[in-house]
Amino acid sequence: MKLAFFGAGGKVGRAVVPGLEQAGHEVRGFELGDEIDVRGLDAAVDFTSPEAAPENVRAALEQGVSCVVGTTGWDPESLHGLAEEKGLRLFVAANFSVGAVLMMRFAQEAAAYFPRAEIIELHNEAKKDAPSGTAIVTAGLLGGDPVIHSVRLPGLMSHQEVLFGGDGELLTIRHDTTARESFVPGVLLALEKLGSLPPGLTLGLDQLL
Ligand code: NAD
């Protein structure tokens, strides 16, 4: 596919763009300040910031290009109508790591047996939003409004624990991202399935697994 990648020079962009190219995609990178002209491309990918993503996605949709978005901390529902009206796809996932999606799925399963849970999400200090998109999605899957603890420190990348407390036992489900290349298979999967999704917004990698 011919792709636009918003945020190509960022931490995720620098790890994911080479992976997309290795898989055979042709990638045109966009950075802050570039004119958004994506006409004629097959899809746009966005890993930028909560401030930039809505504008990039709106511009891509208005130019007839479907989008795959990893940027968290904004409301993608606001662009569902535009995507649907244009017959385009807007796929947004708070986490493109397959391991993280399985962690959420296993946590949801455990919640049926352990009603008391808390979430600890740990990210690098550069992460702007807190709690993380993944923690918010996990909390929704668990139900019961679990407490989310957000840690922001240098030395961390992206980590999450879901702790379940029962009488005399504790269950911990933990996922660690140790390199941003872990997002490549999820982004490739989203691009592969994009054309078969219904027009409008689809949320979450679990919808594709
Ligand atoms: P980063 O700050 O390292 O990179 C963001 C890049 O976007 C920067 O190079 C910046 O210059 C660029 N940018 C800013 N505004 C832009 C614009 N208008 N157009 C084009 N480029 C623009 O951040 P990062 O660590 O690469 O993360 C990017 C986003 O992805 C964050 O919101 C983060 O939370 C999210 N993220 C999501 C996942 C996931 O799996 N869904 C994984 C990691 C990070």
Side-chain angles (χ1 to χ4, degrees), residues 145-180:
D145 209 11
V147 173
I148 303 174
H149 308 267
S150 297
V151 180
R152 295 289 177 270
L153 282 173
L156 290 166
M157 186 167 279
S158 173
H159 318 261
Q160 180 167 295
E161 281 185 16
V162 186
L163 292 98
F164 295 93
D167 288 337
E169 61 178 333
L170 183 71
L171 172 65
T172 304
I173 299 174
R174 179 173 174 118
H175 176 260
D176 297 278
T177 301
T178 56
R180 292 181 180 85

PDB file of all heavy atoms in Angstrom, residues 145-180:
ATOM      1  N   ASP A 145     -15.360   0.214  37.826  1.00  0.00           N
ATOM      2  CA  ASP A 145     -14.566   1.429  37.999  1.00  0.00           C
ATOM      3  C   ASP A 145     -13.286   1.221  38.831  1.00  0.00           C
ATOM      4  O   ASP A 145     -13.094   1.870  39.864  1.00  0.00           O
ATOM      5  CB  ASP A 145     -15.464   2.494  38.658  1.00  0.00           C
ATOM      6  CG  ASP A 145     -15.056   3.899  38.273  1.00  0.00           C
ATOM      7  OD1 ASP A 145     -14.223   4.032  37.354  1.00  0.00           O
ATOM      8  OD2 ASP A 145     -15.553   4.851  38.911  1.00  0.00           O
ATOM      9  N   PRO A 146     -12.398   0.321  38.418  1.00  0.00           N
ATOM     10  CA  PRO A 146     -11.189   0.058  39.216  1.00  0.00           C
ATOM     11  C   PRO A 146     -10.264   1.275  39.278  1.00  0.00           C
ATOM     12  O   PRO A 146     -10.220   2.077  38.343  1.00  0.00           O
ATOM     13  CB  PRO A 146     -10.495  -1.084  38.455  1.00  0.00           C
ATOM     14  CG  PRO A 146     -11.013  -1.001  37.065  1.00  0.00           C
ATOM     15  CD  PRO A 146     -12.412  -0.468  37.169  1.00  0.00           C
ATOM     16  N   VAL A 147      -9.545   1.407  40.376  1.00  0.00           N
ATOM     17  CA  VAL A 147      -8.571   2.499  40.536  1.00  0.00           C
ATOM     18  C   VAL A 147      -7.424   2.273  39.554  1.00  0.00           C
ATOM     19  O   VAL A 147      -6.965   1.141  39.365  1.00  0.00           O
ATOM     20  CB  VAL A 147      -8.029   2.521  41.984  1.00  0.00           C
ATOM     21  CG1 VAL A 147      -6.902   3.537  42.139  1.00  0.00           C
ATOM     22  CG2 VAL A 147      -9.158   2.813  42.954  1.00  0.00           C
ATOM     23  N   ILE A 148      -6.976   3.362  38.900  1.00  0.00           N
ATOM     24  CA  ILE A 148      -5.818   3.292  38.003  1.00  0.00           C
ATOM     25  C   ILE A 148      -4.690   4.116  38.612  1.00  0.00           C
ATOM     26  O   ILE A 148      -4.886   5.286  38.951  1.00  0.00           O
ATOM     27  CB  ILE A 148      -6.146   3.848  36.596  1.00  0.00           C
ATOM     28  CG1 ILE A 148      -7.323   3.098  35.973  1.00  0.00           C
ATOM     29  CG2 ILE A 148      -4.915   3.768  35.692  1.00  0.00           C
ATOM     30  CD1 ILE A 148      -7.809   3.694  34.644  1.00  0.00           C
ATOM     31  N   HIS A 149      -3.511   3.512  38.771  1.00  0.00           N
ATOM     32  CA  HIS A 149      -2.324   4.222  39.248  1.00  0.00           C
ATOM     33  C   HIS A 149      -1.410   4.468  38.053  1.00  0.00           C
ATOM     34  O   HIS A 149      -1.091   3.527  37.321  1.00  0.00           O
ATOM     35  CB  HIS A 149      -1.565   3.381  40.285  1.00  0.00           C
ATOM     36  CG  HIS A 149      -2.434   2.883  41.409  1.00  0.00           C
ATOM     37  ND1 HIS A 149      -2.594   3.560  42.587  1.00  0.00           N
ATOM     38  CD2 HIS A 149      -3.204   1.768  41.505  1.00  0.00           C
ATOM     39  CE1 HIS A 149      -3.419   2.879  43.379  1.00  0.00           C
ATOM     40  NE2 HIS A 149      -3.811   1.781  42.742  1.00  0.00           N
ATOM     41  N   SER A 150      -1.012   5.723  37.853  1.00  0.00           N
ATOM     42  CA  SER A 150      -0.148   6.060  36.717  1.00  0.00           C
ATOM     43  C   SER A 150       1.244   6.420  37.224  1.00  0.00           C
ATOM     44  O   SER A 150       1.384   7.297  38.077  1.00  0.00           O
ATOM     45  CB  SER A 150      -0.716   7.246  35.945  1.00  0.00           C
ATOM     46  OG  SER A 150      -1.975   6.905  35.400  1.00  0.00           O
ATOM     47  N   VAL A 151       2.249   5.745  36.688  1.00  0.00           N
ATOM     48  CA  VAL A 151       3.649   6.029  37.041  1.00  0.00           C
ATOM     49  C   VAL A 151       4.335   6.599  35.805  1.00  0.00           C
ATOM     50  O   VAL A 151       4.195   6.044  34.711  1.00  0.00           O
ATOM     51  CB  VAL A 151       4.372   4.728  37.492  1.00  0.00           C
ATOM     52  CG1 VAL A 151       5.825   5.016  37.870  1.00  0.00           C
ATOM     53  CG2 VAL A 151       3.632   4.069  38.641  1.00  0.00           C
ATOM     54  N   ARG A 152       5.050   7.713  35.936  1.00  0.00           N
ATOM     55  CA  ARG A 152       5.797   8.314  34.814  1.00  0.00           C
ATOM     56  C   ARG A 152       7.230   8.519  35.281  1.00  0.00           C
ATOM     57  O   ARG A 152       7.483   9.394  36.126  1.00  0.00           O
ATOM     58  CB  ARG A 152       5.187   9.672  34.402  1.00  0.00           C
ATOM     59  CG  ARG A 152       3.775   9.584  33.839  1.00  0.00           C
ATOM     60  CD  ARG A 152       3.736   8.948  32.454  1.00  0.00           C
ATOM     61  NE  ARG A 152       2.369   8.806  31.976  1.00  0.00           N
ATOM     62  CZ  ARG A 152       1.604   7.727  32.198  1.00  0.00           C
ATOM     63  NH1 ARG A 152       2.068   6.711  32.902  1.00  0.00           N
ATOM     64  NH2 ARG A 152       0.381   7.667  31.708  1.00  0.00           N
ATOM     65  N   LEU A 153       8.144   7.722  34.754  1.00  0.00           N
ATOM     66  CA  LEU A 153       9.546   7.809  35.175  1.00  0.00           C
ATOM     67  C   LEU A 153      10.473   7.561  33.999  1.00  0.00           C
ATOM     68  O   LEU A 153      10.116   6.812  33.069  1.00  0.00           O
ATOM     69  CB  LEU A 153       9.842   6.727  36.239  1.00  0.00           C
ATOM     70  CG  LEU A 153       9.373   6.973  37.672  1.00  0.00           C
ATOM     71  CD1 LEU A 153       9.612   5.736  38.520  1.00  0.00           C
ATOM     72  CD2 LEU A 153      10.084   8.170  38.292  1.00  0.00           C
ATOM     73  N   PRO A 154      11.691   8.160  34.015  1.00  0.00           N
ATOM     74  CA  PRO A 154      12.665   7.767  32.996  1.00  0.00           C
ATOM     75  C   PRO A 154      13.027   6.295  33.204  1.00  0.00           C
ATOM     76  O   PRO A 154      12.884   5.778  34.314  1.00  0.00           O
ATOM     77  CB  PRO A 154      13.870   8.674  33.283  1.00  0.00           C
ATOM     78  CG  PRO A 154      13.687   9.179  34.669  1.00  0.00           C
ATOM     79  CD  PRO A 154      12.215   9.153  34.968  1.00  0.00           C
ATOM     80  N   GLY A 155      13.438   5.638  32.149  1.00  0.00           N
ATOM     81  CA  GLY A 155      13.839   4.226  32.272  1.00  0.00           C
ATOM     82  C   GLY A 155      12.712   3.273  31.947  1.00  0.00           C
ATOM     83  O   GLY A 155      12.946   2.104  31.650  1.00  0.00           O
ATOM     84  N   LEU A 156      11.467   3.787  32.011  1.00  0.00           N
ATOM     85  CA  LEU A 156      10.325   2.924  31.669  1.00  0.00           C
ATOM     86  C   LEU A 156       9.986   3.085  30.196  1.00  0.00           C
ATOM     87  O   LEU A 156      10.260   4.125  29.598  1.00  0.00           O
ATOM     88  CB  LEU A 156       9.094   3.327  32.497  1.00  0.00           C
ATOM     89  CG  LEU A 156       9.146   3.022  33.992  1.00  0.00           C
ATOM     90  CD1 LEU A 156       8.031   3.777  34.712  1.00  0.00           C
ATOM     91  CD2 LEU A 156       9.012   1.522  34.242  1.00  0.00           C
ATOM     92  N   MET A 157       9.342   2.062  29.604  1.00  0.00           N
ATOM     93  CA  MET A 157       8.799   2.218  28.265  1.00  0.00           C
ATOM     94  C   MET A 157       7.282   2.176  28.393  1.00  0.00           C
ATOM     95  O   MET A 157       6.644   3.190  28.605  1.00  0.00           O
ATOM     96  CB  MET A 157       9.351   1.145  27.331  1.00  0.00           C
ATOM     97  CG  MET A 157       8.916   1.378  25.898  1.00  0.00           C
ATOM     98  SD  MET A 157       9.797   0.393  24.713  1.00  0.00           S
ATOM     99  CE  MET A 157      11.279   1.336  24.552  1.00  0.00           C
ATOM    100  N   SER A 158       6.661   0.981  28.333  1.00  0.00           N
ATOM    101  CA  SER A 158       5.213   0.882  28.432  1.00  0.00           C
ATOM    102  C   SER A 158       4.888  -0.439  29.130  1.00  0.00           C
ATOM    103  O   SER A 158       5.212  -1.505  28.600  1.00  0.00           O
ATOM    104  CB  SER A 158       4.624   0.925  27.022  1.00  0.00           C
ATOM    105  OG  SER A 158       3.252   0.673  27.074  1.00  0.00           O
ATOM    106  N   HIS A 159       4.276  -0.336  30.301  1.00  0.00           N
ATOM    107  CA  HIS A 159       4.062  -1.514  31.135  1.00  0.00           C
ATOM    108  C   HIS A 159       2.701  -1.398  31.810  1.00  0.00           C
ATOM    109  O   HIS A 159       2.275  -0.289  32.129  1.00  0.00           O
ATOM    110  CB  HIS A 159       5.140  -1.616  32.220  1.00  0.00           C
ATOM    111  CG  HIS A 159       6.518  -1.295  31.722  1.00  0.00           C
ATOM    112  ND1 HIS A 159       7.423  -2.254  31.369  1.00  0.00           N
ATOM    113  CD2 HIS A 159       7.114  -0.102  31.491  1.00  0.00           C
ATOM    114  CE1 HIS A 159       8.540  -1.661  30.940  1.00  0.00           C
ATOM    115  NE2 HIS A 159       8.383  -0.366  31.001  1.00  0.00           N
ATOM    116  N   GLN A 160       2.060  -2.530  32.046  1.00  0.00           N
ATOM    117  CA  GLN A 160       0.796  -2.476  32.787  1.00  0.00           C
ATOM    118  C   GLN A 160       0.607  -3.747  33.597  1.00  0.00           C
ATOM    119  O   GLN A 160       0.858  -4.854  33.109  1.00  0.00           O
ATOM    120  CB  GLN A 160      -0.395  -2.296  31.852  1.00  0.00           C
ATOM    121  CG  GLN A 160      -1.726  -2.251  32.626  1.00  0.00           C
ATOM    122  CD  GLN A 160      -2.886  -1.772  31.801  1.00  0.00           C
ATOM    123  OE1 GLN A 160      -2.918  -0.634  31.367  1.00  0.00           O
ATOM    124  NE2 GLN A 160      -3.858  -2.646  31.593  1.00  0.00           N
ATOM    125  N   GLU A 161       0.156  -3.544  34.841  1.00  0.00           N
ATOM    126  CA  GLU A 161      -0.213  -4.674  35.702  1.00  0.00           C
ATOM    127  C   GLU A 161      -1.678  -4.549  36.070  1.00  0.00           C
ATOM    128  O   GLU A 161      -2.141  -3.447  36.382  1.00  0.00           O
ATOM    129  CB  GLU A 161       0.569  -4.628  37.015  1.00  0.00           C
ATOM    130  CG  GLU A 161       1.974  -5.121  36.905  1.00  0.00           C
ATOM    131  CD  GLU A 161       2.665  -5.154  38.280  1.00  0.00           C
ATOM    132  OE1 GLU A 161       1.962  -5.085  39.323  1.00  0.00           O
ATOM    133  OE2 GLU A 161       3.884  -5.250  38.289  1.00  0.00           O
ATOM    134  N   VAL A 162      -2.380  -5.666  36.051  1.00  0.00           N
ATOM    135  CA  VAL A 162      -3.732  -5.701  36.606  1.00  0.00           C
ATOM    136  C   VAL A 162      -3.659  -6.646  37.800  1.00  0.00           C
ATOM    137  O   VAL A 162      -3.278  -7.816  37.651  1.00  0.00           O
ATOM    138  CB  VAL A 162      -4.766  -6.197  35.577  1.00  0.00           C
ATOM    139  CG1 VAL A 162      -6.171  -6.076  36.149  1.00  0.00           C
ATOM    140  CG2 VAL A 162      -4.654  -5.404  34.275  1.00  0.00           C
ATOM    141  N   LEU A 163      -3.953  -6.101  38.981  1.00  0.00           N
ATOM    142  CA  LEU A 163      -3.873  -6.896  40.215  1.00  0.00           C
ATOM    143  C   LEU A 163      -5.276  -7.235  40.684  1.00  0.00           C
ATOM    144  O   LEU A 163      -6.122  -6.336  40.827  1.00  0.00           O
ATOM    145  CB  LEU A 163      -3.164  -6.106  41.313  1.00  0.00           C
ATOM    146  CG  LEU A 163      -1.679  -5.851  41.088  1.00  0.00           C
ATOM    147  CD1 LEU A 163      -1.469  -4.466  40.524  1.00  0.00           C
ATOM    148  CD2 LEU A 163      -0.939  -5.972  42.402  1.00  0.00           C
ATOM    149  N   PHE A 164      -5.495  -8.512  40.931  1.00  0.00           N
ATOM    150  CA  PHE A 164      -6.787  -8.982  41.441  1.00  0.00           C
ATOM    151  C   PHE A 164      -6.567  -9.504  42.859  1.00  0.00           C
ATOM    152  O   PHE A 164      -5.708 -10.364  43.076  1.00  0.00           O
ATOM    153  CB  PHE A 164      -7.322 -10.118  40.575  1.00  0.00           C
ATOM    154  CG  PHE A 164      -7.657  -9.702  39.169  1.00  0.00           C
ATOM    155  CD1 PHE A 164      -6.716  -9.829  38.161  1.00  0.00           C
ATOM    156  CD2 PHE A 164      -8.901  -9.180  38.862  1.00  0.00           C
ATOM    157  CE1 PHE A 164      -7.012  -9.446  36.859  1.00  0.00           C
ATOM    158  CE2 PHE A 164      -9.206  -8.794  37.569  1.00  0.00           C
ATOM    159  CZ  PHE A 164      -8.265  -8.929  36.565  1.00  0.00           C
ATOM    160  N   GLY A 165      -7.336  -8.982  43.806  1.00  0.00           N
ATOM    161  CA  GLY A 165      -7.213  -9.432  45.186  1.00  0.00           C
ATOM    162  C   GLY A 165      -8.411 -10.276  45.577  1.00  0.00           C
ATOM    163  O   GLY A 165      -9.555  -9.882  45.323  1.00  0.00           O
ATOM    164  N   GLY A 166      -8.140 -11.459  46.152  1.00  0.00           N
ATOM    165  CA  GLY A 166      -9.202 -12.308  46.674  1.00  0.00           C
ATOM    166  C   GLY A 166      -8.878 -12.693  48.103  1.00  0.00           C
ATOM    167  O   GLY A 166      -7.877 -12.244  48.658  1.00  0.00           O
ATOM    168  N   ASP A 167      -9.689 -13.535  48.706  1.00  0.00           N
ATOM    169  CA  ASP A 167      -9.415 -13.973  50.081  1.00  0.00           C
ATOM    170  C   ASP A 167      -8.192 -14.865  50.071  1.00  0.00           C
ATOM    171  O   ASP A 167      -8.231 -15.985  49.555  1.00  0.00           O
ATOM    172  CB  ASP A 167     -10.625 -14.734  50.647  1.00  0.00           C
ATOM    173  CG  ASP A 167     -11.770 -13.787  50.943  1.00  0.00           C
ATOM    174  OD1 ASP A 167     -11.490 -12.577  51.124  1.00  0.00           O
ATOM    175  OD2 ASP A 167     -12.926 -14.247  50.955  1.00  0.00           O
ATOM    176  N   GLY A 168      -7.083 -14.371  50.619  1.00  0.00           N
ATOM    177  CA  GLY A 168      -5.868 -15.188  50.755  1.00  0.00           C
ATOM    178  C   GLY A 168      -5.131 -15.439  49.462  1.00  0.00           C
ATOM    179  O   GLY A 168      -4.258 -16.310  49.399  1.00  0.00           O
ATOM    180  N   GLU A 169      -5.444 -14.703  48.401  1.00  0.00           N
ATOM    181  CA  GLU A 169      -4.679 -14.873  47.161  1.00  0.00           C
ATOM    182  C   GLU A 169      -4.679 -13.598  46.339  1.00  0.00           C
ATOM    183  O   GLU A 169      -5.565 -12.751  46.456  1.00  0.00           O
ATOM    184  CB  GLU A 169      -5.206 -16.055  46.330  1.00  0.00           C
ATOM    185  CG  GLU A 169      -6.632 -15.920  45.879  1.00  0.00           C
ATOM    186  CD  GLU A 169      -7.079 -17.100  45.011  1.00  0.00           C
ATOM    187  OE1 GLU A 169      -6.233 -17.730  44.358  1.00  0.00           O
ATOM    188  OE2 GLU A 169      -8.303 -17.369  45.001  1.00  0.00           O
ATOM    189  N   LEU A 170      -3.647 -13.499  45.522  1.00  0.00           N
ATOM    190  CA  LEU A 170      -3.472 -12.327  44.662  1.00  0.00           C
ATOM    191  C   LEU A 170      -3.082 -12.817  43.278  1.00  0.00           C
ATOM    192  O   LEU A 170      -2.184 -13.647  43.140  1.00  0.00           O
ATOM    193  CB  LEU A 170      -2.348 -11.456  45.233  1.00  0.00           C
ATOM    194  CG  LEU A 170      -2.044 -10.146  44.513  1.00  0.00           C
ATOM    195  CD1 LEU A 170      -3.149  -9.129  44.731  1.00  0.00           C
ATOM    196  CD2 LEU A 170      -0.724  -9.562  45.029  1.00  0.00           C
ATOM    197  N   LEU A 171      -3.768 -12.329  42.265  1.00  0.00           N
ATOM    198  CA  LEU A 171      -3.420 -12.681  40.877  1.00  0.00           C
ATOM    199  C   LEU A 171      -2.942 -11.412  40.178  1.00  0.00           C
ATOM    200  O   LEU A 171      -3.619 -10.383  40.206  1.00  0.00           O
ATOM    201  CB  LEU A 171      -4.650 -13.233  40.149  1.00  0.00           C
ATOM    202  CG  LEU A 171      -4.502 -13.460  38.641  1.00  0.00           C
ATOM    203  CD1 LEU A 171      -3.478 -14.544  38.341  1.00  0.00           C
ATOM    204  CD2 LEU A 171      -5.854 -13.844  38.028  1.00  0.00           C
ATOM    205  N   THR A 172      -1.748 -11.488  39.541  1.00  0.00           N
ATOM    206  CA  THR A 172      -1.217 -10.335  38.798  1.00  0.00           C
ATOM    207  C   THR A 172      -1.052 -10.725  37.340  1.00  0.00           C
ATOM    208  O   THR A 172      -0.424 -11.731  37.032  1.00  0.00           O
ATOM    209  CB  THR A 172       0.156  -9.907  39.368  1.00  0.00           C
ATOM    210  OG1 THR A 172       0.011  -9.634  40.752  1.00  0.00           O
ATOM    211  CG2 THR A 172       0.673  -8.666  38.652  1.00  0.00           C
ATOM    212  N   ILE A 173      -1.620  -9.910  36.462  1.00  0.00           N
ATOM    213  CA  ILE A 173      -1.430 -10.116  35.021  1.00  0.00           C
ATOM    214  C   ILE A 173      -0.644  -8.917  34.522  1.00  0.00           C
ATOM    215  O   ILE A 173      -1.061  -7.770  34.715  1.00  0.00           O
ATOM    216  CB  ILE A 173      -2.787 -10.245  34.295  1.00  0.00           C
ATOM    217  CG1 ILE A 173      -3.544 -11.451  34.858  1.00  0.00           C
ATOM    218  CG2 ILE A 173      -2.593 -10.405  32.789  1.00  0.00           C
ATOM    219  CD1 ILE A 173      -4.952 -11.613  34.329  1.00  0.00           C
ATOM    220  N   ARG A 174       0.522  -9.176  33.943  1.00  0.00           N
ATOM    221  CA  ARG A 174       1.421  -8.070  33.590  1.00  0.00           C
ATOM    222  C   ARG A 174       1.893  -8.176  32.149  1.00  0.00           C
ATOM    223  O   ARG A 174       2.168  -9.274  31.656  1.00  0.00           O
ATOM    224  CB  ARG A 174       2.643  -8.082  34.523  1.00  0.00           C
ATOM    225  CG  ARG A 174       3.633  -6.964  34.179  1.00  0.00           C
ATOM    226  CD  ARG A 174       4.774  -6.835  35.169  1.00  0.00           C
ATOM    227  NE  ARG A 174       5.718  -5.856  34.660  1.00  0.00           N
ATOM    228  CZ  ARG A 174       6.043  -4.710  35.258  1.00  0.00           C
ATOM    229  NH1 ARG A 174       5.515  -4.407  36.411  1.00  0.00           N
ATOM    230  NH2 ARG A 174       6.922  -3.883  34.721  1.00  0.00           N
ATOM    231  N   HIS A 175       1.964  -7.030  31.504  1.00  0.00           N
ATOM    232  CA  HIS A 175       2.547  -6.972  30.148  1.00  0.00           C
ATOM    233  C   HIS A 175       3.607  -5.884  30.107  1.00  0.00           C
ATOM    234  O   HIS A 175       3.413  -4.806  30.661  1.00  0.00           O
ATOM    235  CB  HIS A 175       1.463  -6.674  29.104  1.00  0.00           C
ATOM    236  CG  HIS A 175       2.032  -6.519  27.736  1.00  0.00           C
ATOM    237  ND1 HIS A 175       2.271  -5.294  27.164  1.00  0.00           N
ATOM    238  CD2 HIS A 175       2.460  -7.443  26.841  1.00  0.00           C
ATOM    239  CE1 HIS A 175       2.798  -5.473  25.967  1.00  0.00           C
ATOM    240  NE2 HIS A 175       2.930  -6.759  25.750  1.00  0.00           N
ATOM    241  N   ASP A 176       4.744  -6.177  29.454  1.00  0.00           N
ATOM    242  CA  ASP A 176       5.822  -5.204  29.286  1.00  0.00           C
ATOM    243  C   ASP A 176       6.136  -5.044  27.809  1.00  0.00           C
ATOM    244  O   ASP A 176       6.369  -6.038  27.117  1.00  0.00           O
ATOM    245  CB  ASP A 176       7.100  -5.699  29.991  1.00  0.00           C
ATOM    246  CG  ASP A 176       6.898  -5.828  31.479  1.00  0.00           C
ATOM    247  OD1 ASP A 176       6.996  -4.822  32.180  1.00  0.00           O
ATOM    248  OD2 ASP A 176       6.617  -6.966  31.932  1.00  0.00           O
ATOM    249  N   THR A 177       6.164  -3.803  27.358  1.00  0.00           N
ATOM    250  CA  THR A 177       6.690  -3.517  26.018  1.00  0.00           C
ATOM    251  C   THR A 177       8.146  -3.123  26.206  1.00  0.00           C
ATOM    252  O   THR A 177       8.444  -2.174  26.937  1.00  0.00           O
ATOM    253  CB  THR A 177       5.926  -2.345  25.369  1.00  0.00           C
ATOM    254  OG1 THR A 177       4.551  -2.702  25.293  1.00  0.00           O
ATOM    255  CG2 THR A 177       6.441  -2.071  23.967  1.00  0.00           C
ATOM    256  N   THR A 178       9.050  -3.836  25.559  1.00  0.00           N
ATOM    257  CA  THR A 178      10.475  -3.541  25.735  1.00  0.00           C
ATOM    258  C   THR A 178      11.080  -2.876  24.501  1.00  0.00           C
ATOM    259  O   THR A 178      12.196  -2.389  24.550  1.00  0.00           O
ATOM    260  CB  THR A 178      11.258  -4.832  26.067  1.00  0.00           C
ATOM    261  OG1 THR A 178      11.006  -5.779  25.013  1.00  0.00           O
ATOM    262  CG2 THR A 178      10.813  -5.425  27.382  1.00  0.00           C
ATOM    263  N   ALA A 179      10.342  -2.884  23.383  1.00  0.00           N
ATOM    264  CA  ALA A 179      10.811  -2.177  22.183  1.00  0.00           C
ATOM    265  C   ALA A 179       9.592  -1.786  21.354  1.00  0.00           C
ATOM    266  O   ALA A 179       8.612  -2.532  21.301  1.00  0.00           O
ATOM    267  CB  ALA A 179      11.746  -3.062  21.363  1.00  0.00           C
ATOM    268  N   ARG A 180       9.666  -0.640  20.698  1.00  0.00           N
ATOM    269  CA  ARG A 180       8.500  -0.134  19.952  1.00  0.00           C
ATOM    270  C   ARG A 180       8.256  -0.916  18.665  1.00  0.00           C
ATOM    271  O   ARG A 180       7.212  -0.761  18.041  1.00  0.00           O
ATOM    272  CB  ARG A 180       8.664   1.361  19.690  1.00  0.00           C
ATOM    273  CG  ARG A 180       8.585   2.163  20.972  1.00  0.00           C
ATOM    274  CD  ARG A 180       8.725   3.646  20.760  1.00  0.00           C
ATOM    275  NE  ARG A 180       8.641   4.346  22.045  1.00  0.00           N
ATOM    276  CZ  ARG A 180       9.668   4.537  22.867  1.00  0.00           C
ATOM    277  NH1 ARG A 180      10.870   4.107  22.535  1.00  0.00           N
ATOM    278  NH2 ARG A 180       9.497   5.155  24.022  1.00  0.00           N
TER     279      ARG A 180
END
